[in-house]
Amino acid sequence: MKTIIGKDIQVAEALLRKGELVAIPTETVYGLAGNALNEDAVLNIYKVKNRPQFNPLIIHVASLQKMKLYVEHIPAKGLRLAQDFLPGPLTFLLPKKNIIPDLVTAASNLVAVRIPNHALTISLLEKLDFPVAAPSANPFGYVSPTSAQHVFDSLHGSIPYILDGGDCKVGLESTIISFNENEQVVVHRVGGTTIEAIEEHIGEKVIMDVFSPDKPSTPGQLKSHYATHTPLQMGNVNELIREYEGKKIAVISFATVYAGTKSFMLSQKEDMNEAAKNLFKTLRQLDKQDFDIILAERFPEHGLGAAINDRLMRAQQENK
Ligand code: TXA
Ligand code: MG
């Protein structure tokens, strides 16, 4: 199959209506989209991504009104969050309506829904009378794509169209939240919406249910994820440089140059938004070069820094 990169939402619309897959831009990362109500299309998403079917998909809609067509109930706190943060990098896990196939949610009664903050994709979604299921448009386990070219690099030949909406502005996946029986906010993945912003909005602490080695409660919390082929290690870079003496070392830093290595600064002016935007692009770029090891700094553990650390931590693989 020939893969075309283009900017034509009518082409994208026609393909999606036929049950075909289209890569779509969002503010976070590119998604691999298919009609969420069409089980063949959904099956094809798992197949093209080589993703296990126990790992459920996020559905994408154009508006809060459309979101209500697919979920049973949005708690009052959720509605207020949605009004303030959507469209944006915040995904809501809510009780699903029957119309959403179990295949989308891996048989869970909760469905993940979000409204992406990207004008081109919103106009595409507005034309559709179904939601699109869209995981990040990368092969399972690899670094998420933040440009049309990234999608093309790994998925060309297996999808017909990549809708090119430019480089992703946020560059990290959405933050995923749910609500417990006391209507407290539970965070399942840290991402483009910061914990601090959510807590400030709701006026209370959130409950963190993110990755821990003993309990990957949602599959996105699996540890070896977002991984480069080149081994990556995060920690005290000066110590690690001594440990890897004699090797070809690349360093991912916020704004520091480390002597004796190739240092890739994510933001020379120490702007965390810029660093987040550059993370996946830099990982992909480094992975194409001939380094023995990628060393990464631990970023300041607040705001988007926490999400960057989460991705770097999971990009580390043992036994590589
Ligand atoms: O920013 C994003 O969220 C991007 C763009 C394309 O929208 N999408 C994305 O999708 O990151 P994906 O599939 O790569 O990650 C979705 C995560 C997975 O870890 C999945 O396990 C979790 O959301 N998830 C989806 N539906 C779920 C459900 N019903 N229950 C629990 N976790 C769910
Ligand atoms: Mg993903």
Side-chain angles (χ1 to χ4, degrees), residues 26 28-31 51 55-58 60 91 93 105 108 110-112 114 134-136 173-174 176 189 218-220:
T26 82
T28 60
V29 300
Y30 274 70
R51 172 168 171 146
N55 193 349
L57 309 176
I58 298 178
H60 297 63
T91 295
L93 268 176
T105 64
S108 165
L110 300 180
V111 63
R114 83 178 202 93
S136 50
E173 297 85 347
S174 60
I176 303 179
R189 176 174 75 182
T218 81

Side-chain angles (χ1 to χ4, degrees), residues 186-264:
V186 183
V187 175
H188 301 274
R189 176 174 75 182
V190 291
T193 300
T194 66
I195 303 306
E196 290 86 343
I198 296 172
E199 289 182 337
E200 193 188 335
H201 178 95
I202 59 180
E204 60 191 32
K205 288 279 175 198
V206 300
I207 296 168
M208 295 300 280
D209 180 32
V210 291
F211 170 76
S212 95
D214 314 321
K215 199 186 106 321
S217 78
T218 81
Q221 300 175 348
L222 290 172
K223 197 174 167 202
S224 280
H225 222 97
Y226 313 99
T228 45
H229 302 305
T230 314
L232 182 150
Q233 208 171 333
M234 181 171 60
N236 181 317
V237 170
N238 284 316
E239 279 172 21
L240 290 169
I241 288 172
R242 284 195 288 278
E243 202 176 302
Y244 286 95
E245 214 190 306
K247 303 272 187 202
K248 270 179 269 169
I249 303 174
V251 177
I252 292 190
S253 72
F254 196 4
T256 305
V257 175
Y258 290 87
T261 73
K262 281 233 169 136
S263 301
F264 294 79

Side-chain angles (χ1 to χ4, degrees), residues 82-96:
Q83 270 145 9
D84 269 26
F85 287 85
L86 301 185
L90 186 60
T91 295
F92 291 75
L93 268 176
L94 294 166
K96 80 177 186 75

